[in-house]
Structures are given as structure tokens and as C-alpha cells.
Amino acid sequence: MAAAWLTHLSGGRVEVRSAGSAPADTVNPAAVRAMAEAGIDLSAETPKVLTADAVRASDVVITMGCGDTCPVFPGRTYLDWQLDDPAGRGVDAVRPIRDEIERRVRGLLAELLPESAKSVQSADSAQSVQSADSPKSA
């Protein structure tokens, strides 16, 4: 959900990667429904495995409970977002998680793309963000 919010809210000004340390076979259906309610379609997304190369290529790495399984490289900014895991929960329980992720993503974007730079963001200076979810997260 964090990667989807970043992609949606950044308007293409941030390169977003999403992966998990032990991803599920499919995206959590409740997360798909909750994000669809917010106008974001996750139905075609598939979970991906987190790789060291993806982390190495990122400027900011957001982790969500992957602990020691996430690779760490010098010169990267790491943010560990402690959130409830949406795995196995219904859409009613996922909505507050979705909303908290949106709040955090908006805050991150305010830091990455300050108002003065939002309208003039070149491809050369675009930020790269890796979202690394816990094994069960959507």
C-alpha cells in the first residue's frame, strides 16, 4: 500500500520500488479493496522479493517489520514504519492501516519534494524509494 500511495501521490516525481522479505503469493484482497476505495487499483500488482540490488539503488528505504532480513547499505535513509499487519484482516481493519500509510507517505513526500521544488522536478533529480514490507504485509 505504501508503494501505491507513493506512486499515486508523487505524480511520477518519485521512482518507487516495492518488495517483501518473504512476500505472499498474492496481494492481500482486503488491501486491494481498501485501496480501490481510495481510487488506487492494486488488482494487477504481484508481490516481489526484496533484493539487495533494489535497496542499493534506492535513496530512501521504508521498512515495515522486516527486521534483520532487510539489507542495509551506507548512504541510504532508512525509515522503519511500525504498522499493524493487514494480513488476514478484513477490509474494515485494513482501512485505518491504509489511512495511516497515506498520512506517512504525505509526510515523506513533503520532505522529499518541498513545495518550492514540486513544480520543477527533473528526471535527473528524482528520488528513488524502496518499500520493504514484512513477510505478510500487503
Side-chain angles (χ1 to χ4, degrees):
M1 287 188 286
W5 277 120
L6 274 164
T7 300
H8 179 76
L9 295 172
S10 73
R13 293 170 292 180
V14 175
E15 180 181 341
V16 180
R17 296 177 186 87
S18 179
S21 54
D25 293 331
T26 60
V27 176
N28 180 339
V32 172
R33 285 185 50 209
M35 292 301 284
E37 293 173 358
I40 300 173
D41 183 9
L42 295 181
S43 63
E45 297 299 321
T46 57
K48 297 161 199 69
V49 175
L50 179 66
T51 66
D53 288 341
V55 175
R56 193 176 291 117
S58 300
D59 299 308
V60 178
V61 180
I62 300 167
T63 59
M64 297 179 192
C66 66
D68 293 339
T69 62
C70 291
V72 176
F73 297 99
R76 308 300 175 269
T77 299
Y78 289 86
L79 304 171
D80 187 30
W81 289 358
Q82 297 296 316
L83 297 161
D84 290 334
D85 191 339
R89 296 178 183 223
V91 71
D92 290 337
V94 172
R95 284 185 191 111
I97 300 167
R98 172 203 64 198
D99 296 344
E100 178 60 17
I101 292 171
E102 178 188 11
R103 185 188 69 73
R104 293 180 190 205
V105 165
R106 287 183 183 277
L108 176 62
L109 286 172
E111 292 176 28
L112 293 176
L113 306 172
E115 284 300 320
S116 61
K118 280 187 180 179
S119 62
V120 184
Q121 182 74 24
S122 73
D124 292 338
S125 63
Q127 296 288 317
S128 174
V129 177
Q130 169 74 36
S131 175
D133 295 336
S134 68
K136 296 182 274 185
S137 295

